[in-house]
Amino acid sequence: MRYGGIRRRRLSLQQLLVISTVVTGIGLFMVTIRPLEPQIRVEFPRKFEHGVSNRSSSGSGSVGSEDPTRNEGNSGARSCATVEEMGEVLRDGFWKESLKVRKIIQNHFILNGASRVRDLPPEQFCRHGFILGKSSEAGFGNEMYKVLTGAALSIMLNRSLIIGQTRRRYPFEDYISYSNDTFTLKEVKHLWRHNGCVRKYGRHLVMRTDDFEKPAETNVLCSNWREWKQPIIWFQGTTNAVAAQFFLKNIHSEMRNAASNLFGDPEVLQSRPNVFGELMRVLISPSKGIEEAVNWVIGGKEDPDISLHMRMLMNRSVRAVQAALKCIRKALKVQHHISRPKLVLVSDTPSLIKSIMPNISEFAEVLHFDYELFKGKTSNDINERQSSEFRVKDWGPAPRWVAFVDFFLASRAKHAVISGAHRRVGTTYAQLIAALAAAQSLGDTSTSSSFEFLSSFQSNLLTDGLKNQIGWGHVWNRFAGPLSCHRQPIQCAFTPILPPAWWDGLWQSPIPRDINRLASYGIELSGFGIADTSSLQAHCRSRKKVVKTIPFPL
């Protein structure tokens, strides 16, 4: 019995050794095939300028008591960057690609603009495709991105653009005029009947919808939209610059190529084109009344040099003002040839404008639209309904049309747009001001551009780095992860004119919230922003195909 017991124990030990060997082999195999994470230590393109200080993070101009960019054992490498250092790689190059995209947009509307398409022979017209760009009248930045995303998609899919109307009114119709190169849904219905598309060719007017805000249903990553046969496509929920750029990771090369042809290489942030600015340059203009107000401020003189937009949410932060003043001086230092610049000041907080104007007036001529002084001077009636109570923080207590005067006034800046804020810098409103200004300052034969988009950050916004610049629509969100240094001083950073949608560029890293959100779209994202394309392929193969359509009675 004893001998048998010893033999059983020996057999168990042998089994344990075999199991251990197998498990070790599997583990080594998994390590071998697993994609490597990027190296954390990245060399800075230039010397780190902010010294170590023992002052607390509440101080206005220091990093905390420990330098967060230092890696022990490797004094020449750093594991994070300040906002200004991130911005250094964004300074130059966008103008060349923007001129290329400008030509693409021009050619697109020559071929797909309403003036040509409405005169096509019936058979050709009935085969033609359309994209619906439809928005409501909520926040201007988010709603304008819905129209602009539709325009970008119309280029990628070689279709004509429809601007959606509500009760026969365009979005923000009182304040914005739209290009004649676009259709209305009413006109498309009329032409569909007139050309006998159903009777002669059996082609019913059907619209396929896709909602970006529903990850389980959207086809933005898994479907080849160029093969969709429905006459109209509506891409919903596109409230910022992100949705259209999701096609850069679509599993179909045809869609990826169409997206990269328009948006450029997401790894090369400094040379990506100003897509949305170039689209606005073609598609929108101020209404007559808004334009009169803008011209009243400028007073027949030259356009302003710099625009400063301060989104303060009715807050009067001294630190935010100090950061903005630093950014103005930085912009003037680059544009050293300007003796006394003209600066447009825009804010949702009237009291801030009154308090900051004396500081700026010492070295610049300040332009600001005072709607109380302007009342009665316009030849065109502008809707003067007061802002709804829940919109006061976004638009201020002034009538809503003032925000549109401010938008078109600020977008006349020739050299720089600066974005400052009480909390989140670079909102969609500020992004679109900078994008339109950059497009308007770039001539068709330009060989370079000195235009700058700058972000001003007070130190308390950077206590945890860019971590709190949350929200997919915010221009610095893609830089908010672990590569963003904590306890930064006041910063004035060069800012991407085309807000990135992915994390492919230098110093970009996601926050956990974004990793979880990407997972709902079927993408496994590493802590440093690398998308696992093989997992996306598997996700697309396993997911249920969703097709939603709306037929239009004629």
Side-chain angles (χ1 to χ4, degrees), residues 402-445:
V402 173
F404 290 86
V405 176
D406 284 344
F407 176 82
F408 285 107
L409 175 62
S411 65
R412 297 277 283 269
K414 295 184 292 186
H415 301 297
V417 169
I418 300 168
S419 172
H422 161 54
R423 278 167 44 197
R424 287 185 288 183
V425 177
T427 61
T428 51
Y429 183 80
Q431 291 167 23
L432 294 179
I433 289 175
L436 183 55
Q440 293 181 148
S441 68
L442 185 65
D444 289 335
T445 59

mmCIF file of all heavy atoms in Angstrom, residues 402-445:
data_model
loop_
_atom_site.group_PDB
_atom_site.id
_atom_site.type_symbol
_atom_site.label_atom_id
_atom_site.label_comp_id
_atom_site.label_asym_id
_atom_site.label_seq_id
_atom_site.Cartn_x
_atom_site.Cartn_y
_atom_site.Cartn_z
ATOM 1 N N VAL A 402 -26.516 87.545 -32.129
ATOM 2 C CA VAL A 402 -25.221 88.161 -31.827
ATOM 3 C C VAL A 402 -24.093 87.143 -31.953
ATOM 4 O O VAL A 402 -22.985 87.469 -32.393
ATOM 5 C CB VAL A 402 -25.248 88.780 -30.415
ATOM 6 C CG1 VAL A 402 -23.865 89.284 -30.014
ATOM 7 C CG2 VAL A 402 -26.270 89.908 -30.353
ATOM 8 N N ALA A 403 -24.377 85.885 -31.585
ATOM 9 C CA ALA A 403 -23.351 84.838 -31.698
ATOM 10 C C ALA A 403 -22.941 84.622 -33.145
ATOM 11 O O ALA A 403 -21.790 84.257 -33.425
ATOM 12 C CB ALA A 403 -23.867 83.542 -31.092
ATOM 13 N N PHE A 404 -23.853 84.848 -34.085
ATOM 14 C CA PHE A 404 -23.526 84.679 -35.501
ATOM 15 C C PHE A 404 -22.738 85.872 -36.036
ATOM 16 O O PHE A 404 -21.844 85.706 -36.868
ATOM 17 C CB PHE A 404 -24.802 84.442 -36.303
ATOM 18 C CG PHE A 404 -25.416 83.102 -36.028
ATOM 19 C CD1 PHE A 404 -26.289 82.934 -34.963
ATOM 20 C CD2 PHE A 404 -25.093 82.008 -36.807
ATOM 21 C CE1 PHE A 404 -26.832 81.692 -34.688
ATOM 22 C CE2 PHE A 404 -25.632 80.764 -36.541
ATOM 23 C CZ PHE A 404 -26.506 80.598 -35.475
ATOM 24 N N VAL A 405 -23.059 87.071 -35.531
ATOM 25 C CA VAL A 405 -22.223 88.229 -35.864
ATOM 26 C C VAL A 405 -20.804 87.985 -35.348
ATOM 27 O O VAL A 405 -19.817 88.191 -36.065
ATOM 28 C CB VAL A 405 -22.808 89.524 -35.256
ATOM 29 C CG1 VAL A 405 -21.875 90.704 -35.530
ATOM 30 C CG2 VAL A 405 -24.200 89.797 -35.797
ATOM 31 N N ASP A 406 -20.703 87.536 -34.101
ATOM 32 C CA ASP A 406 -19.389 87.246 -33.516
ATOM 33 C C ASP A 406 -18.640 86.198 -34.330
ATOM 34 O O ASP A 406 -17.423 86.301 -34.544
ATOM 35 C CB ASP A 406 -19.549 86.760 -32.076
ATOM 36 C CG ASP A 406 -19.856 87.890 -31.106
ATOM 37 O OD1 ASP A 406 -19.653 89.062 -31.479
ATOM 38 O OD2 ASP A 406 -20.303 87.601 -29.970
ATOM 39 N N PHE A 407 -19.369 85.161 -34.776
ATOM 40 C CA PHE A 407 -18.721 84.084 -35.527
ATOM 41 C C PHE A 407 -18.117 84.608 -36.830
ATOM 42 O O PHE A 407 -16.933 84.388 -37.120
ATOM 43 C CB PHE A 407 -19.731 82.973 -35.826
ATOM 44 C CG PHE A 407 -19.176 81.871 -36.682
ATOM 45 C CD1 PHE A 407 -18.424 80.861 -36.118
ATOM 46 C CD2 PHE A 407 -19.380 81.853 -38.055
ATOM 47 C CE1 PHE A 407 -17.888 79.848 -36.905
ATOM 48 C CE2 PHE A 407 -18.854 80.852 -38.850
ATOM 49 C CZ PHE A 407 -18.102 79.844 -38.274
ATOM 50 N N PHE A 408 -18.918 85.299 -37.624
ATOM 51 C CA PHE A 408 -18.417 85.764 -38.914
ATOM 52 C C PHE A 408 -17.425 86.923 -38.758
ATOM 53 O O PHE A 408 -16.543 87.090 -39.600
ATOM 54 C CB PHE A 408 -19.586 86.164 -39.813
ATOM 55 C CG PHE A 408 -20.326 84.982 -40.369
ATOM 56 C CD1 PHE A 408 -21.584 84.637 -39.893
ATOM 57 C CD2 PHE A 408 -19.764 84.185 -41.364
ATOM 58 C CE1 PHE A 408 -22.264 83.535 -40.399
ATOM 59 C CE2 PHE A 408 -20.434 83.076 -41.863
ATOM 60 C CZ PHE A 408 -21.683 82.752 -41.387
ATOM 61 N N LEU A 409 -17.550 87.686 -37.679
ATOM 62 C CA LEU A 409 -16.575 88.740 -37.403
ATOM 63 C C LEU A 409 -15.231 88.130 -37.020
ATOM 64 O O LEU A 409 -14.183 88.502 -37.553
ATOM 65 C CB LEU A 409 -17.100 89.639 -36.284
ATOM 66 C CG LEU A 409 -16.163 90.745 -35.776
ATOM 67 C CD1 LEU A 409 -15.837 91.727 -36.894
ATOM 68 C CD2 LEU A 409 -16.793 91.467 -34.581
ATOM 69 N N ALA A 410 -15.250 87.171 -36.091
ATOM 70 C CA ALA A 410 -13.997 86.537 -35.639
ATOM 71 C C ALA A 410 -13.319 85.762 -36.755
ATOM 72 O O ALA A 410 -12.087 85.678 -36.808
ATOM 73 C CB ALA A 410 -14.288 85.614 -34.451
ATOM 74 N N SER A 411 -14.107 85.187 -37.675
ATOM 75 C CA SER A 411 -13.523 84.396 -38.763
ATOM 76 C C SER A 411 -12.903 85.270 -39.859
ATOM 77 O O SER A 411 -12.365 84.753 -40.827
ATOM 78 C CB SER A 411 -14.579 83.477 -39.383
ATOM 79 O OG SER A 411 -15.604 84.229 -40.010
ATOM 80 N N ARG A 412 -12.956 86.607 -39.697
ATOM 81 C CA ARG A 412 -12.274 87.507 -40.627
ATOM 82 C C ARG A 412 -10.809 87.725 -40.239
ATOM 83 O O ARG A 412 -10.082 88.451 -40.923
ATOM 84 C CB ARG A 412 -13.010 88.859 -40.662
ATOM 85 C CG ARG A 412 -14.438 88.809 -41.183
ATOM 86 C CD ARG A 412 -14.543 88.844 -42.678
ATOM 87 N NE ARG A 412 -14.328 90.176 -43.214
ATOM 88 C CZ ARG A 412 -15.292 91.076 -43.440
ATOM 89 N NH1 ARG A 412 -16.559 90.776 -43.157
ATOM 90 N NH2 ARG A 412 -15.010 92.250 -43.942
ATOM 91 N N ALA A 413 -10.369 87.122 -39.134
ATOM 92 C CA ALA A 413 -8.985 87.300 -38.673
ATOM 93 C C ALA A 413 -7.995 86.811 -39.729
ATOM 94 O O ALA A 413 -8.139 85.714 -40.262
ATOM 95 C CB ALA A 413 -8.769 86.552 -37.364
ATOM 96 N N LYS A 414 -6.973 87.613 -39.995
ATOM 97 C CA LYS A 414 -6.021 87.293 -41.055
ATOM 98 C C LYS A 414 -4.870 86.401 -40.585
ATOM 99 O O LYS A 414 -4.310 85.649 -41.381
ATOM 100 C CB LYS A 414 -5.435 88.588 -41.633
ATOM 101 C CG LYS A 414 -6.448 89.461 -42.342
ATOM 102 C CD LYS A 414 -5.780 90.679 -42.962
ATOM 103 C CE LYS A 414 -5.274 91.631 -41.891
ATOM 104 N NZ LYS A 414 -4.750 92.893 -42.477
ATOM 105 N N HIS A 415 -4.518 86.486 -39.296
ATOM 106 C CA HIS A 415 -3.283 85.844 -38.864
ATOM 107 C C HIS A 415 -3.445 84.795 -37.763
ATOM 108 O O HIS A 415 -2.701 83.814 -37.742
ATOM 109 C CB HIS A 415 -2.282 86.906 -38.392
ATOM 110 C CG HIS A 415 -1.929 87.906 -39.440
ATOM 111 N ND1 HIS A 415 -1.282 87.553 -40.608
ATOM 112 C CD2 HIS A 415 -2.156 89.243 -39.509
ATOM 113 C CE1 HIS A 415 -1.108 88.641 -41.347
ATOM 114 N NE2 HIS A 415 -1.629 89.670 -40.718
ATOM 115 N N ALA A 416 -4.390 84.987 -36.854
ATOM 116 C CA ALA A 416 -4.488 84.029 -35.742
ATOM 117 C C ALA A 416 -5.864 84.065 -35.100
ATOM 118 O O ALA A 416 -6.519 85.111 -35.049
ATOM 119 C CB ALA A 416 -3.419 84.335 -34.683
ATOM 120 N N VAL A 417 -6.302 82.902 -34.618
ATOM 121 C CA VAL A 417 -7.475 82.765 -33.762
ATOM 122 C C VAL A 417 -7.014 82.108 -32.465
ATOM 123 O O VAL A 417 -6.296 81.097 -32.502
ATOM 124 C CB VAL A 417 -8.581 81.935 -34.427
ATOM 125 C CG1 VAL A 417 -9.677 81.570 -33.419
ATOM 126 C CG2 VAL A 417 -9.190 82.695 -35.599
ATOM 127 N N ILE A 418 -7.403 82.700 -31.345
ATOM 128 C CA ILE A 418 -7.007 82.186 -30.035
ATOM 129 C C ILE A 418 -8.257 81.709 -29.301
ATOM 130 O O ILE A 418 -9.267 82.411 -29.256
ATOM 131 C CB ILE A 418 -6.298 83.272 -29.206
ATOM 132 C CG1 ILE A 418 -5.032 83.745 -29.933
ATOM 133 C CG2 ILE A 418 -5.948 82.757 -27.815
ATOM 134 C CD1 ILE A 418 -4.434 85.000 -29.344
ATOM 135 N N SER A 419 -8.172 80.520 -28.732
ATOM 136 C CA SER A 419 -9.283 79.952 -27.980
ATOM 137 C C SER A 419 -8.916 79.874 -26.510
ATOM 138 O O SER A 419 -7.912 79.262 -26.133
ATOM 139 C CB SER A 419 -9.614 78.539 -28.498
ATOM 140 O OG SER A 419 -10.570 77.915 -27.668
ATOM 141 N N GLY A 420 -9.724 80.531 -25.676
ATOM 142 C CA GLY A 420 -9.544 80.437 -24.238
ATOM 143 C C GLY A 420 -10.858 80.047 -23.593
ATOM 144 O O GLY A 420 -11.921 80.158 -24.203
ATOM 145 N N ALA A 421 -10.820 79.607 -22.339
ATOM 146 C CA ALA A 421 -12.050 79.132 -21.711
ATOM 147 C C ALA A 421 -11.897 79.041 -20.206
ATOM 148 O O ALA A 421 -10.785 78.930 -19.675
ATOM 149 C CB ALA A 421 -12.455 77.775 -22.265
ATOM 150 N N HIS A 422 -13.036 79.081 -19.549
ATOM 151 C CA HIS A 422 -13.082 78.821 -18.111
ATOM 152 C C HIS A 422 -12.801 77.351 -17.832
ATOM 153 O O HIS A 422 -12.091 77.022 -16.870
ATOM 154 C CB HIS A 422 -14.451 79.238 -17.581
ATOM 155 C CG HIS A 422 -14.823 78.645 -16.260
ATOM 156 N ND1 HIS A 422 -14.011 78.746 -15.152
ATOM 157 C CD2 HIS A 422 -15.926 77.954 -15.863
ATOM 158 C CE1 HIS A 422 -14.594 78.135 -14.135
ATOM 159 N NE2 HIS A 422 -15.746 77.649 -14.537
ATOM 160 N N ARG A 423 -13.326 76.450 -18.709
ATOM 161 C CA ARG A 423 -13.164 75.015 -18.457
ATOM 162 C C ARG A 423 -12.573 74.261 -19.639
ATOM 163 O O ARG A 423 -11.482 73.704 -19.548
ATOM 164 C CB ARG A 423 -14.513 74.402 -18.066
ATOM 165 C CG ARG A 423 -14.861 74.606 -16.609
ATOM 166 C CD ARG A 423 -16.311 74.290 -16.306
ATOM 167 N NE ARG A 423 -16.783 73.070 -16.929
ATOM 168 C CZ ARG A 423 -18.065 72.760 -17.070
ATOM 169 N NH1 ARG A 423 -18.986 73.609 -16.643
ATOM 170 N NH2 ARG A 423 -18.426 71.648 -17.630
ATOM 171 N N ARG A 424 -13.296 74.237 -20.772
ATOM 172 C CA ARG A 424 -12.832 73.419 -21.893
ATOM 173 C C ARG A 424 -12.447 74.311 -23.063
ATOM 174 O O ARG A 424 -13.235 75.117 -23.552
ATOM 175 C CB ARG A 424 -13.908 72.412 -22.301
ATOM 176 C CG ARG A 424 -14.045 71.284 -21.282
ATOM 177 C CD ARG A 424 -15.015 70.223 -21.750
ATOM 178 N NE ARG A 424 -16.395 70.696 -21.693
ATOM 179 C CZ ARG A 424 -17.449 69.933 -21.995
ATOM 180 N NH1 ARG A 424 -17.259 68.685 -22.380
ATOM 181 N NH2 ARG A 424 -18.672 70.409 -21.936
ATOM 182 N N VAL A 425 -11.233 74.141 -23.529
ATOM 183 C CA VAL A 425 -10.652 74.982 -24.575
ATOM 184 C C VAL A 425 -10.861 74.324 -25.937
ATOM 185 O O VAL A 425 -10.717 73.112 -26.082
ATOM 186 C CB VAL A 425 -9.147 75.195 -24.312
ATOM 187 C CG1 VAL A 425 -8.510 76.017 -25.432
ATOM 188 C CG2 VAL A 425 -8.945 75.874 -22.961
ATOM 189 N N GLY A 426 -11.177 75.136 -26.938
ATOM 190 C CA GLY A 426 -11.295 74.601 -28.296
ATOM 191 C C GLY A 426 -12.611 73.909 -28.548
ATOM 192 O O GLY A 426 -12.645 72.806 -29.100
ATOM 193 N N THR A 427 -13.723 74.543 -28.172
ATOM 194 C CA THR A 427 -15.040 73.967 -28.441
ATOM 195 C C THR A 427 -15.312 73.978 -29.946
ATOM 196 O O THR A 427 -14.564 74.563 -30.733
ATOM 197 C CB THR A 427 -16.126 74.776 -27.729
ATOM 198 O OG1 THR A 427 -16.096 76.124 -28.228
ATOM 199 C CG2 THR A 427 -15.909 74.791 -26.231
ATOM 200 N N THR A 428 -16.403 73.341 -30.345
ATOM 201 C CA THR A 428 -16.713 73.270 -31.776
ATOM 202 C C THR A 428 -16.918 74.667 -32.367
ATOM 203 O O THR A 428 -16.579 74.909 -33.527
ATOM 204 C CB THR A 428 -17.965 72.410 -32.016
ATOM 205 O OG1 THR A 428 -19.031 72.863 -31.166
ATOM 206 C CG2 THR A 428 -17.675 70.950 -31.736
ATOM 207 N N TYR A 429 -17.453 75.592 -31.598
ATOM 208 C CA TYR A 429 -17.647 76.971 -32.063
ATOM 209 C C TYR A 429 -16.300 77.611 -32.376
ATOM 210 O O TYR A 429 -16.108 78.203 -33.453
ATOM 211 C CB TYR A 429 -18.391 77.753 -30.981
ATOM 212 C CG TYR A 429 -18.737 79.189 -31.328
ATOM 213 C CD1 TYR A 429 -19.837 79.492 -32.126
ATOM 214 C CD2 TYR A 429 -17.992 80.243 -30.815
ATOM 215 C CE1 TYR A 429 -20.175 80.811 -32.413
ATOM 216 C CE2 TYR A 429 -18.322 81.562 -31.097
ATOM 217 C CZ TYR A 429 -19.414 81.844 -31.894
ATOM 218 O OH TYR A 429 -19.743 83.151 -32.179
ATOM 219 N N ALA A 430 -15.343 77.483 -31.464
ATOM 220 C CA ALA A 430 -14.007 78.053 -31.678
ATOM 221 C C ALA A 430 -13.291 77.350 -32.833
ATOM 222 O O ALA A 430 -12.587 77.984 -33.629
ATOM 223 C CB ALA A 430 -13.185 77.947 -30.396
ATOM 224 N N GLN A 431 -13.459 76.026 -32.920
ATOM 225 C CA GLN A 431 -12.830 75.279 -34.027
ATOM 226 C C GLN A 431 -13.284 75.811 -35.375
ATOM 227 O O GLN A 431 -12.475 76.000 -36.290
ATOM 228 C CB GLN A 431 -13.208 73.795 -33.937
ATOM 229 C CG GLN A 431 -12.633 73.027 -32.779
ATOM 230 C CD GLN A 431 -13.314 71.681 -32.619
ATOM 231 O OE1 GLN A 431 -13.882 71.140 -33.561
ATOM 232 N NE2 GLN A 431 -13.277 71.138 -31.411
ATOM 233 N N LEU A 432 -14.579 76.046 -35.515
ATOM 234 C CA LEU A 432 -15.120 76.473 -36.803
ATOM 235 C C LEU A 432 -14.722 77.913 -37.115
ATOM 236 O O LEU A 432 -14.513 78.257 -38.284
ATOM 237 C CB LEU A 432 -16.637 76.308 -36.811
ATOM 238 C CG LEU A 432 -17.122 74.851 -36.740
ATOM 239 C CD1 LEU A 432 -18.644 74.793 -36.728
ATOM 240 C CD2 LEU A 432 -16.579 74.028 -37.906
ATOM 241 N N ILE A 433 -14.604 78.777 -36.097
ATOM 242 C CA ILE A 433 -14.074 80.128 -36.322
ATOM 243 C C ILE A 433 -12.670 80.031 -36.910
ATOM 244 O O ILE A 433 -12.349 80.662 -37.929
ATOM 245 C CB ILE A 433 -14.044 80.938 -35.010
ATOM 246 C CG1 ILE A 433 -15.455 81.316 -34.564
ATOM 247 C CG2 ILE A 433 -13.194 82.204 -35.183
ATOM 248 C CD1 ILE A 433 -15.492 82.021 -33.208
ATOM 249 N N ALA A 434 -11.810 79.227 -36.269
ATOM 250 C CA ALA A 434 -10.423 79.096 -36.730
ATOM 251 C C ALA A 434 -10.361 78.479 -38.119
ATOM 252 O O ALA A 434 -9.564 78.902 -38.968
ATOM 253 C CB ALA A 434 -9.626 78.252 -35.732
ATOM 254 N N ALA A 435 -11.197 77.468 -38.368
ATOM 255 C CA ALA A 435 -11.170 76.784 -39.664
ATOM 256 C C ALA A 435 -11.572 77.720 -40.794
ATOM 257 O O ALA A 435 -10.926 77.768 -41.850
ATOM 258 C CB ALA A 435 -12.090 75.566 -39.628
ATOM 259 N N LEU A 436 -12.642 78.498 -40.587
ATOM 260 C CA LEU A 436 -13.090 79.423 -41.631
ATOM 261 C C LEU A 436 -12.084 80.554 -41.821
ATOM 262 O O LEU A 436 -11.791 80.953 -42.953
ATOM 263 C CB LEU A 436 -14.472 79.984 -41.278
ATOM 264 C CG LEU A 436 -15.100 80.919 -42.319
ATOM 265 C CD1 LEU A 436 -15.171 80.259 -43.691
ATOM 266 C CD2 LEU A 436 -16.493 81.368 -41.874
ATOM 267 N N ALA A 437 -11.532 81.065 -40.733
ATOM 268 C CA ALA A 437 -10.527 82.124 -40.838
ATOM 269 C C ALA A 437 -9.297 81.637 -41.595
ATOM 270 O O ALA A 437 -8.751 82.348 -42.449
ATOM 271 C CB ALA A 437 -10.137 82.612 -39.445
ATOM 272 N N ALA A 438 -8.848 80.414 -41.297
ATOM 273 C CA ALA A 438 -7.673 79.859 -41.982
ATOM 274 C C ALA A 438 -7.936 79.685 -43.467
ATOM 275 O O ALA A 438 -7.071 79.959 -44.307
ATOM 276 C CB ALA A 438 -7.288 78.518 -41.349
ATOM 277 N N ALA A 439 -9.143 79.254 -43.814
ATOM 278 C CA ALA A 439 -9.488 79.059 -45.224
ATOM 279 C C ALA A 439 -9.557 80.392 -45.957
ATOM 280 O O ALA A 439 -9.090 80.514 -47.095
ATOM 281 C CB ALA A 439 -10.822 78.318 -45.339
ATOM 282 N N GLN A 440 -10.131 81.403 -45.306
ATOM 283 C CA GLN A 440 -10.275 82.700 -45.954
ATOM 284 C C GLN A 440 -8.953 83.447 -46.064
ATOM 285 O O GLN A 440 -8.787 84.295 -46.944
ATOM 286 C CB GLN A 440 -11.308 83.552 -45.200
ATOM 287 C CG GLN A 440 -12.714 82.986 -45.308
ATOM 288 C CD GLN A 440 -13.766 83.809 -44.599
ATOM 289 O OE1 GLN A 440 -14.908 83.871 -45.013
ATOM 290 N NE2 GLN A 440 -13.394 84.448 -43.491
ATOM 291 N N SER A 441 -8.003 83.127 -45.187
ATOM 292 C CA SER A 441 -6.708 83.806 -45.235
ATOM 293 C C SER A 441 -5.755 83.166 -46.249
ATOM 294 O O SER A 441 -4.689 83.716 -46.532
ATOM 295 C CB SER A 441 -6.049 83.781 -43.845
ATOM 296 O OG SER A 441 -5.670 82.458 -43.482
ATOM 297 N N LEU A 442 -6.135 81.994 -46.780
ATOM 298 C CA LEU A 442 -5.278 81.251 -47.702
ATOM 299 C C LEU A 442 -5.699 81.525 -49.140
ATOM 300 O O LEU A 442 -6.802 81.162 -49.554
ATOM 301 C CB LEU A 442 -5.376 79.750 -47.402
ATOM 302 C CG LEU A 442 -4.460 78.816 -48.194
ATOM 303 C CD1 LEU A 442 -2.996 79.075 -47.864
ATOM 304 C CD2 LEU A 442 -4.813 77.349 -47.896
ATOM 305 N N GLY A 443 -4.840 82.186 -49.909
ATOM 306 C CA GLY A 443 -5.140 82.463 -51.298
ATOM 307 C C GLY A 443 -4.941 81.239 -52.177
ATOM 308 O O GLY A 443 -4.210 80.301 -51.813
ATOM 309 N N ASP A 444 -5.585 81.240 -53.340
ATOM 310 C CA ASP A 444 -5.502 80.080 -54.236
ATOM 311 C C ASP A 444 -4.092 79.813 -54.726
ATOM 312 O O ASP A 444 -3.767 78.683 -55.114
ATOM 313 C CB ASP A 444 -6.428 80.289 -55.447
ATOM 314 C CG ASP A 444 -7.895 80.194 -55.068
ATOM 315 O OD1 ASP A 444 -8.204 79.534 -54.053
ATOM 316 O OD2 ASP A 444 -8.738 80.770 -55.788
ATOM 317 N N THR A 445 -3.235 80.826 -54.738
ATOM 318 C CA THR A 445 -1.859 80.661 -55.242
ATOM 319 C C THR A 445 -0.829 80.775 -54.128
ATOM 320 O O THR A 445 0.354 81.001 -54.389
ATOM 321 C CB THR A 445 -1.571 81.707 -56.327
ATOM 322 O OG1 THR A 445 -1.749 83.026 -55.770
ATOM 323 C CG2 THR A 445 -2.498 81.525 -57.515
#
